[in-house]
Amino acid sequence: MDGYTPIEQYGVIGNLETCALIGPTGSIDWLCLPKLESPSVFGALLDADNGGHFALQPSEFDTSEQSYIDRTNVLQTDFTTPRGTVTVTDFMPLSARSSDMEPEAPGLYRQLSCTSGTVDLRLSFDPQFNYATDAGTITIDSETIVARGGGARLTLSVPPEWQTATAITSGGAYQTTASVSSGETVWFVLGFGGPPTEPAACTSLLTETVEFWREWLHDCDAESCVFYGPHHEAIVRSELALKLLTRRGSGAIAAAATTSLPEAVGAGRNWDYRFSWIRDSAFTLRAYAALGHMREGRAYLNRYLKINNIRDPSTIAPLFALEVDGPTDERTLEQFDGYRGSSPVRVGNDATAQTQLDTYGELVVAISELIAAEPDVTEPYWEAIERLVNYICDHWRKPDSGIWEVRDGPRQFVYSKVMCWAGLSRGISIAASDDSIDGPIERWRSKRDAIRDTVLKKGYNDSVGSFTQTFDGTTIDATCLLFPLLGFIDATDDRMEQSIDAVLETLTTADGLVRRYEEAGDDLDGDEGAFVLCSFWLVMALVECGRTERAASIFDAVLEYRGPLGLFAEEIDPETGAQLGNVPQAFSHIGVINAALHLRSDEFEEVDRSLEGVL
């Protein structure tokens, strides 16, 4: 299909600092080094002809199939050819001994194993440094291929039979062929820091990496795991995807591993998601808490409060770089055509300059989630909570850009107001439950009640029969599905039941895919697809109002849209089933986990399904 791999067919591997996307043909089409937010070295994802790639594949093959080694982020691609079969195993090393701050073996490892016959293979190594603005040079140095460009140096260790001076093409790539026979295993190591390359060491790193992922996963068995059941595999894959997006040491959580994969192919809805949104992170912390990963939650909050000027909440941005003081300024890459011609290709994200009032509430509820799990941490966070809640009291009436980050002017978004209410509600609860702290609870209660009264008066439209996107508006928005989950209104309240029905009628396909809102709501071209997370919001809202059978049916139907490897991008094209937007998308996988928790808790009363304060 025009030289581009469907988004849903990519596998992803990583080392908690960066990620690589690998297609079913064995081509690495996206890798930024040394960090996820660094410029790309392989960028064929965004320009099939000129972006750069690292392909290891049979010269000809009938079929290929990708899978992860069970309960890991180690990817395998099995090729069937006319003469035999081979498997390529891809991973980036991790181990229990690895430092919190840097990988022990900074490299990308590709193990090639022939499982039957004799297979001819080709290698194409074409790094294009700095988003393909610097093609660099390739040389052979002591039987190692060395690529230099953009101030960076990469090494590619290959078996002797794959080393030849004539492999360097006139275009600066390294291309060669060789064959492997049944029982033969060889290694290819892309180094960006001098990793081990001896076969025995490579094998040991593979074993340690498999053990790392399995040991990190939540503890579970049929008797004790709240997620155990028919959806357990989907939850595990979502858990592993979220961890790939979590920065080692700091706990910063990227919204996705890519930039500018389009929400509408051929249009301009292309954004850089390699940043940490407070909103996304708050949702992720809920999922992590349900899975028992509190260490990640503490690391994230501690880092956030340290690098942000919490003494002046007005300076808090809705998103920030994964590394302290990293750039967020948005610019376009004219040299890239964009995925299937979807331009502009953007790096950086100007949403960092927006006012998004829901962010303040989401930060408070993220802190409250940590406190609920570990009450002894209340005092260290109290100053931050008090300042944030006071800021909400003073600014909740202002218009903002909202959760969907509109770029055509601020509005009075209803969801933003409800999240301000949630922030106040959680602050009041924390202050009232701990005698050692003191806060202006009466003032907060007054403001909280004023917000609720205003939302019920101006955010619900009787003629539409639903909560709306903005005050005194008519547009139905899927964010209303969160209102009962936040405790703002009971799910069985007539206004909420009617809102759920309105979402089902106007935003939802027959099998449960949900669009964000009724109309574009901005000045961008192209019609976006259904937003995966919104479908899972619908599942949770339906459970809350007792429509569990419908909720379970939608949950199962939406899971059918996962890619072959169980991964979700941001959106789904309802007409074709193709995935759209950046991948893997944290929002989408958070939805899988939290919706599954809701469904399971409907079966087991001892499981707390309430999301009050943790969205």
Side-chain angles (χ1 to χ4, degrees):
M1 184 172 61
D2 57 21
Y4 288 91
T5 297
I7 292 170
E8 62 270 16
Q9 291 187 14
Y10 276 106
V12 61
I13 62 173
N15 64 352
L16 311 185
E17 294 208 339
T18 191
C19 292
L21 267 64
I22 306 169
T25 63
S27 180
I28 299 174
D29 290 344
W30 184 251
L31 176 62
C32 299
L33 292 175
K35 307 288 187 180
L36 185 70
E37 65 275 27
S38 300
S40 64
V41 173
F42 305 127
L45 181 71
L46 297 177
D47 193 310
D49 294 328
N50 304 307
H53 64 269
F54 176 16
L56 181 61
Q57 58 200 188
S59 299
E60 58 176 321
F61 57 94
D62 299 323
T63 63
S64 68
E65 183 176 355
Q66 288 183 303
S67 61
Y68 283 106
I69 292 179
D70 186 45
R71 303 175 71 241
T72 77
N73 281 315
V74 177
L75 183 67
Q76 292 186 318
T77 307
D78 297 313
F79 294 96
T80 300
T81 81
R83 299 180 58 201
T85 56
V86 294
T87 297
V88 176
T89 301
D90 289 303
F91 69 99
M92 300 176 77
L94 287 164
S95 76
R97 300 190 310 275
S98 297
S99 163
D100 272 351
M101 301 310 296
E102 61 182 36
E104 182 176 304
L108 189 154
Y109 286 68
R110 315 197 75 177
Q111 180 196 62
L112 174 65
S113 299
C114 185
T115 50
S116 69
T118 298
V119 180
D120 297 325
L121 296 111
R122 64 182 292 270
L123 180 150
S124 180
F125 177 61
D126 184 24
Q128 298 290 322
F129 293 92
N130 195 21
Y131 297 120
T133 60
D134 188 344
T137 61
I138 290 182
T139 59
I140 300 176
D141 182 10
S142 300
E143 298 185 343
T144 299
I145 295 96
V146 180
R148 295 180 176 87
R153 179 179 183 272
L154 299 179
T155 61
L156 178 61
S157 172
V158 301
E161 61 270 25
W162 297 72
Q163 300 170 4
T164 170
T166 60
I168 301 175
T169 69
S170 59
Y174 186 92
Q175 296 181 348
T176 189
T177 60
S179 62
V180 292
S181 298
S182 180
E184 186 177 358
T185 294
V186 292
W187 287 89
F188 302 80
V189 180
L190 177 66
F192 36 94
T197 60
E198 292 298 319
C202 295
T203 301
S204 178
L205 286 173
L206 173 57
T207 300
E208 291 181 0
T209 302
V210 168
E211 291 175 351
F212 173 89
W213 289 115
R214 290 177 175 171
E215 290 174 2
W216 177 81
L217 280 168
H218 71 280
D219 294 328
C220 65
D221 57 46
E223 295 181 356
S224 65
C225 179
V226 66
F227 293 110
Y228 200 87
H231 304 123
H232 190 260
E233 182 276 330
I235 293 160
V236 167
R237 182 50 49 200
S238 292
E239 182 181 5
L240 288 165
L242 290 177
K243 183 61 173 177
L244 277 177
L245 298 173
T246 304
R247 178 59 50 86
R248 176 200 311 269
S250 73
I253 301 163
T258 58
T259 179
S260 296
L261 289 179
E263 298 170 13
V265 173
R269 297 176 179 274
N270 317 313
W271 315 108
D272 192 348
Y273 278 8
R274 298 170 299 162
F275 297 95
S276 184
W277 271 258
I278 297 172
R279 179 185 305 111
D280 297 43
S281 301
F283 278 73
T284 304
L285 294 182
R286 164 60 184 175
Y288 271 161
L291 293 162
H293 299 306
M294 295 310 301
R295 181 170 180 253
E296 281 78 3
R298 288 194 303 273
Y300 167 77
L301 287 173
N302 289 337
R303 175 185 185 271
Y304 178 84
L305 297 175
K306 179 178 180 181
I307 68 174
N308 285 275
N309 183 8
I310 204 66
R311 293 184 177 278
D312 182 6
S314 67
T315 65
I316 293 176
L319 65 100
F320 54 92
L322 300 176
E323 294 293 324
V324 176
D325 299 325
T328 58
D329 294 343
E330 186 176 301
R331 60 190 175 94
T332 60
L333 302 179
E334 303 296 339
Q335 68 273 22
F336 278 164
D337 288 341
Y339 179 83
R340 296 182 60 195
S342 303
S343 62
V345 171
R346 294 181 172 95
V347 294
N349 199 309
D350 281 347
T352 189
Q354 290 183 345
T355 297
Q356 298 176 18
L357 289 175
D358 65 296
T359 291
Y360 297 95
E362 278 145 359
L363 184 54
V364 174
V365 299
I367 297 173
S368 75
E369 170 67 7
L370 179 60
I371 290 173
E374 302 178 349
D376 60 330
V377 303
T378 301
E379 187 174 352
Y381 290 114
W382 178 245
E383 180 183 358
I385 294 169
E386 188 171 19
R387 290 181 183 276
L388 288 165
V389 174
N390 283 330
Y391 186 85
I392 291 171
C393 288
D394 295 337
H395 296 87
W396 72 269
R397 292 185 180 276
K398 293 184 177 181
D400 72 324
S401 296
I403 185 175
W404 306 131
E405 301 185 338
V406 299
R407 296 197 172 197
D408 58 348
R411 307 175 196 171
Q412 295 286 1
F413 285 103
V414 175
Y415 176 72
S416 294
K417 310 307 181 187
V418 172
M419 279 309 309
C420 286
W421 176 93
L424 281 164
S425 180
R426 303 318 170 258
I428 292 166
S429 296
I430 293 169
S433 63
D434 192 330
D435 294 336
S436 67
I437 58 178
D438 185 29
I441 294 180
E442 291 307 314
R443 175 176 184 254
W444 292 355
R445 284 175 175 157
S446 175
K447 295 292 184 179
R448 179 197 61 184
D449 295 344
I451 295 173
R452 189 173 191 277
D453 290 344
T454 304
V455 169
L456 294 178
K457 179 180 179 181
K458 301 173 71 65
Y460 183 85
N461 188 317
D462 286 306
S463 61
V464 174
S466 176
F467 286 101
T468 54
Q469 185 178 72
T470 58
F471 280 170
D472 301 318
T474 59
T475 298
I476 297 172
D477 190 306
T479 52
C480 71
L481 298 169
L482 293 174
F483 296 175
L485 307 177
L486 290 161
F488 179 81
I489 188 171
D490 193 277
T492 58
D493 184 289
D494 287 345
R495 291 164 293 190
M496 197 60 237
E497 291 258 28
Q498 290 167 6
S499 297
I500 294 172
D501 288 337
V503 170
L504 283 165
E505 181 179 349
T506 63
L507 302 182
T508 307
T509 66
D511 51 359
L513 295 178
V514 180
R515 290 182 293 128
R516 294 188 294 175
Y517 36 71
E518 286 184 281
E519 53 200 40
D522 52 45
D523 57 358
L524 297 171
D525 58 345
D527 295 325
E528 65 177 24
F531 204 80
V532 174
L533 178 60
C534 293
S535 294
F536 294 124
W537 287 348
L538 177 59
V539 170
M540 292 186 283
L542 288 169
V543 172
E544 285 292 315
C545 66
R547 304 188 219 177
T548 306
E549 185 174 341
R550 181 74 183 275
S553 175
I554 289 175
F555 186 74
D556 289 339
V558 175
L559 286 185
E560 290 297 315
Y561 286 96
R562 290 179 299 162
L565 290 163
L567 297 175
F568 272 121
E570 183 177 32
E571 299 182 5
I572 304 292
D573 184 334
E575 294 184 2
T576 66
Q579 295 197 12
L580 299 167
N582 289 306
V583 67
Q585 179 78 205
F587 252 179
S588 300
H589 289 285
I590 291 163
V592 173
I593 295 170
N594 287 340
L597 178 63
H598 245 59
L599 285 167
R600 289 290 288 173
S601 65
D602 191 66
E603 300 177 43
F604 301 102
E605 292 183 0
E606 67 271 20
V607 178
D608 177 15
R609 75 166 180 251
S610 172
L611 299 188
E612 292 188 17
V614 293
L615 287 174

